[in-house]
Amino acid sequence: MGVDVISRTRRISTATSIAVLFSSVVLVGGAANPAAADSSKILPAKSVGDILADGVHKHVFISDPTGGKVLVADYSGAVVATIPSLPGVTGLDLSADSGTLYAAVPGADAIVTIDTTALKESARYATGEGTDPKYPALAGGKLWFGYGSGGSGHIGSLDLNGAEPVVTLDPEENGTWYGAPTLASTPGAPNVLAAGIESQSPTELAVYDVSSGTATETARTGTDGGNLQDLALSPDGTQVVVASGYPYVHQAYRTSDLTPGVAYQSGSYPNSVDIAPDGTVAAGIDGVYSPDVYVYKPGASTSKPVRTFDFPNTGTSSGSDTLLPAGLAWAPDTSRLFAVTANSSGVRSLRVLTDAVKSRTTVTVTAPAKATRAKKLTVSGKVTSGGAFAAGAKATVTRTDVESPKGKALPSVALKSNGTFSFSDTPPAGGTVTYKVSYAGDAIRSAGSGSGKVAVSRAATSLTLNRNKALYAYGTDVSFTAHLGKTYKNRTVELWVDPYGTDKPKKLAKTGKVNSKGDLSTTVDMTRDTTVTAVFKGDGRYASKTVTSTAYAKVKVSTAVAKQYKTARIGSTSYAYFHKKTDPVFTTTMNYYKNRSFKLSMELYYQGKWYDAGSQYFKLGTSGKTAVTLKGTHETGYRMRVRSSYVNGSSGDSVNSTTHGAWKYFIFTK
């Protein structure tokens, strides 16, 4: 994954211990709180070491060892404060009254206390040079911490009960642990301390009695698991639950003798565990292609979780975002489960999972694919969640249609013990009718809803629009009129105008009720070919309808002749006269459009007929004018004529209709 994560295993030390006639289609609506993160906020963290929740101040604390800081987030996941200058800060623990946060800071060889109200460092206690403390846990009236490295790990303590703080280190030079052990404690069993070493294989566990003020080992074992990532104590201290990369379960051990107990079935690569004060177990894994979090009820003896969560993919890989080691923390009241995750780009997020202790609820709604308006139809379905539904359980029903766009409440529907339901309704309006069935949730189930859509028939109405295929001179004001036939309630029509060309988008020109004749008009300045669209959106009894009319606009084009020595008539036609040594100048004026060209054509009169004398396209200047000079040897005595034209498609664009300017006549003389 390429994610640089410094992790440490969590302990369970919390702020507060609280104790039909139609072919049918099936649509499954998602639960109101689906098995995925309910909210997510990006964390400005370079790594994640530990996470815990403060139920009194409604804060979540997250350590960032690489960044040397502790982040403080609110219960929505938004970071509200940062405590800096904590190099390598890893483990965290919280005092029983939630007034003090303890942070192990190996880079400073110290235990640091943080005021949870002011969210600032309040004291720093040195643990000795080179101790590198990492994993604190409150038990027996002291703060215990794992320390040491290089094959020699120890357990030390910090006593703050006297006039002066007292740090006590292990008197044995060679520790009984390969590295600094991770510690776990719980308020419900204040003298029990559990320990294990992160990433160790095979996993080694130990339990200590700290009632005497010293850590006295009462049990130790080597397990068949490997790559320990996290551990947590049950609220009564009788079990320690371990998250190791192998085996693919969250194994519980009795703290009395460390013999195996319940195995919480999760998935490949367990890496996180947290236990709420009421005993609810959250078991997390590194689940790229499977659910990431499994929630078990207090005292569960079976392997079936009450809830699972599967994180989405916010990165660039094919797999989902993954839970970070030791990345779970319960709110003390179990109202939320907090999880820290990372995507394939190394972006870390804090996810807030709600209703985690309740079974996920899904609602399946089976509705007719088609139906006839004002005739009865039947909708059925099933609410699926944990266990049977009690007598009297109901789900609410809402019908949404064109006449009730915000939804209309229908009578509640009773649920059978297996969650199935059925009800009838007579839809008063046609079009798409949606039936939404919602279960509000209860003590053991989350809320959930689902919906089914029915295409209900409606009558057809007439809608016409004039001016189709009409051709107009440039700039003509043209009135387009829509005529609407019989409808039920809706007499509103929209008129949209779409001039040709990508630079002028389709716009709503007018919307309103038609007059007593059923008409609604809008005026268009025809400077381009234009499509006008009339839209009737339908009502409860008549279907929607759309019609179009495309009218065409010529360009405004003229040709001016210059440098003639006189103008005179031949017959009834005016000619410009040029000496044969003079080169005529023909200036074309045309309304400009980007990259537009015009066609300049000439004809010669011979023996009573006009003959083509050639044509050529010239680019139109941005001012809308271009002058062309006729050069060469000019023959005298021949009558000629010239004109400018816009040719749709050949003149560089297609926004107007082909338009030919007036002929200009000229003749050369000696």
Side-chain angles (χ1 to χ4, degrees):
M1 297 294 289
V3 180
D4 179 20
V5 178
I6 298 177
S7 61
R8 64 109 37 256
T9 50
R10 284 264 305 122
R11 54 218 159 273
I12 178 79
S13 181
T14 57
T16 307
S17 181
I18 302 176
V20 174
L21 293 175
F22 315 107
S23 61
S24 295
V25 294
V26 178
L27 295 91
V28 181
N33 44 355
D38 293 317
S39 66
S40 176
K41 300 289 176 60
I42 292 176
L43 288 173
K46 296 179 180 179
S47 63
V48 172
D50 198 8
I51 175 175
L52 60 80
D54 172 2
V56 173
H57 301 95
K58 300 295 187 290
H59 283 153
V60 183
F61 297 99
I62 303 156
S63 65
D64 177 359
T66 302
K69 60 189 177 184
V70 169
L71 301 175
V72 186
D74 60 22
Y75 265 25
S76 71
V79 174
V80 296
T82 300
I83 295 94
S85 304
L86 304 172
V89 60
T90 306
L92 305 173
D93 206 357
L94 197 63
S95 64
D97 63 359
S98 286
T100 302
L101 177 72
Y102 297 94
V105 186
D109 290 324
I111 299 294
V112 172
T113 59
I114 295 167
D115 186 318
T116 56
T117 300
L119 297 179
K120 293 181 179 180
E121 180 178 330
S122 55
R124 187 170 292 218
Y125 304 99
T127 56
E129 183 177 356
T131 50
D132 296 336
K134 293 182 180 178
Y135 312 124
L138 288 162
K142 295 182 179 181
L143 181 74
W144 302 86
F145 55 89
Y147 70 94
S149 59
S152 181
H154 306 264
I155 296 176
S157 66
L158 171 62
D159 188 351
L160 297 175
N161 295 311
E164 296 291 333
V166 177
V167 173
T168 303
L169 300 180
D170 188 348
E172 296 293 331
E173 182 177 348
N174 296 319
T176 58
W177 295 94
Y178 180 78
T182 302
L183 306 180
S185 61
T186 179
N191 295 318
V192 177
L193 192 67
I197 295 184
E198 177 186 316
S199 301
Q200 187 181 44
S201 295
T203 299
E204 187 175 1
L205 299 175
V207 178
Y208 296 89
D209 179 358
V210 296
S211 59
S212 65
T214 60
T216 302
E217 184 177 293
T218 58
R220 179 179 286 264
T221 189
T223 75
D224 61 353
N227 193 23
L228 175 69
Q229 297 292 305
D230 205 359
L231 75 166
L233 277 172
S234 61
D236 60 4
T238 61
Q239 292 189 25
V240 57
V241 180
V242 175
S244 295
Y246 181 84
Y248 299 156
V249 297
H250 283 67
Q251 181 64 57
Y253 297 88
R254 288 188 286 270
T255 54
S256 58
D257 55 8
L258 289 178
T259 57
V262 176
Y264 297 99
Q265 303 297 319
S266 48
S268 302
Y269 313 118
N271 68 353
S272 301
V273 60
D274 196 27
I275 306 178
D278 68 354
T280 303
V281 176
I285 68 169
D286 186 0
V288 178
Y289 298 105
S290 60
D292 303 271
V293 180
Y294 303 75
V295 178
Y296 296 87
K297 292 182 179 180
S301 58
T302 66
S303 60
K304 185 177 180 180
V306 67
R307 189 74 181 271
T308 62
F309 291 88
D310 193 2
F311 300 132
N313 181 10
T314 65
T316 58
S317 66
S318 59
S320 66
D321 292 8
T322 55
L323 180 69
L324 296 182
L328 293 174
W330 282 105
D333 61 0
T334 68
S335 62
R336 293 165 178 81
L337 176 62
F338 302 98
V340 285
T341 64
N343 66 17
S344 57
S345 300
V347 177
R348 297 164 183 83
S349 300
L350 175 60
R351 301 184 181 275
V352 183
L353 315 176
T354 60
D355 269 353
V357 297
K358 295 182 179 182
S359 297
R360 180 174 181 262
T361 298
T362 59
V363 181
T364 302
V365 178
T366 303
K370 297 180 180 180
T372 302
R373 191 192 68 80
K375 289 191 176 181
K376 183 183 293 187
L377 56 80
T378 299
V379 177
S380 60
K382 185 176 184 179
V383 179
T384 303
S385 193
F389 288 87
K394 292 185 177 182
T396 60
V397 181
T398 302
R399 181 186 64 219
T400 303
D401 54 35
V402 68
E403 291 191 349
S404 302
K406 294 183 179 180
K408 177 180 176 59
L410 301 182
S412 296
V413 60
L415 301 180
K416 295 182 179 179
S417 61
N418 64 355
T420 58
F421 62 84
S422 178
F423 63 90
S424 296
D425 183 53
T426 302
T432 300
V433 177
T434 301
Y435 292 95
K436 182 179 180 180
V437 180
S438 302
Y439 183 69
D442 52 40
I444 64 172
R445 302 176 183 87
S446 66
S449 64
S451 61
K453 297 181 183 295
V454 184
V456 178
S457 63
R458 289 184 289 181
T461 189
S462 63
L463 182 65
T464 60
L465 189 60
N466 65 351
R467 310 301 187 189
N468 190 41
K469 297 183 179 181
L471 178 64
Y472 297 97
Y474 180 86
T476 303
D477 289 338
V478 178
S479 177
F480 288 80
T481 300
H483 179 78
L484 180 64
K486 183 180 179 181
T487 62
Y488 175 50
K489 289 183 178 180
N490 183 14
R491 299 296 291 167
T492 298
V493 170
E494 295 176 355
L495 292 174
W496 295 78
V497 175
D498 188 8
Y500 279 33
T502 58
D503 59 325
K504 290 191 176 183
K506 183 177 182 179
K507 289 185 178 181
L508 179 62
K510 193 171 185 179
T511 181
K513 291 184 178 180
V514 297
N515 61 20
S516 59
K517 296 180 180 180
D519 296 337
L520 183 71
S521 301
T522 190
T523 299
V524 177
D525 182 13
M526 293 295 294
T527 59
R528 300 185 185 184
D529 296 347
T530 301
T531 297
V532 177
T533 302
V535 178
F536 168 64
K537 292 187 174 180
D539 57 26
R541 299 184 183 181
Y542 286 83
S544 61
K545 190 165 186 178
T546 299
V547 295
T548 62
S549 174
T550 300
Y552 303 99
K554 296 180 179 181
V555 299
K556 190 174 183 180
V557 57
S558 63
T559 308
V561 180
K563 292 194 175 182
Q564 66 268 40
Y565 69 88
K566 73 171 184 178
T567 301
R569 291 184 178 275
I570 299 177
S572 61
T573 304
S574 178
Y575 279 79
Y577 281 75
F578 294 90
H579 293 299
K580 70 175 187 176
K581 292 184 178 182
T582 302
D583 294 334
V585 176
F586 307 120
T587 299
T588 298
T589 301
M590 184 183 294
N591 47 292
Y592 178 76
Y593 188 78
K594 186 178 180 180
N595 297 323
R596 176 167 285 182
S597 298
F598 63 92
K599 181 181 180 182
L600 194 66
S601 304
M602 288 189 184
E603 291 186 355
L604 181 143
Y605 189 76
Y606 179 69
Q607 293 183 351
K609 290 185 178 180
W610 288 99
Y611 293 91
D612 182 14
S615 62
Q616 187 173 339
Y617 281 89
F618 297 92
K619 191 172 183 64
L620 182 65
T622 56
S623 64
K625 290 187 177 183
T626 297
V628 177
T629 301
L630 181 62
K631 294 179 176 290
T633 302
H634 307 306
E635 297 291 335
T636 62
Y638 291 100
R639 287 188 255 173
M640 303 187 73
R641 64 183 183 181
V642 63
R643 72 176 179 183
S644 298
S645 303
Y646 165 83
V647 182
N648 183 284
S650 298
S651 284
D653 63 78
S654 300
V655 303
N656 287 95
S657 295
T658 297
T659 309
H660 300 292
W663 289 106
K664 294 295 182 178
Y665 296 82
F666 63 97
I667 189 170
F668 290 102
T669 63
K670 293 182 180 180

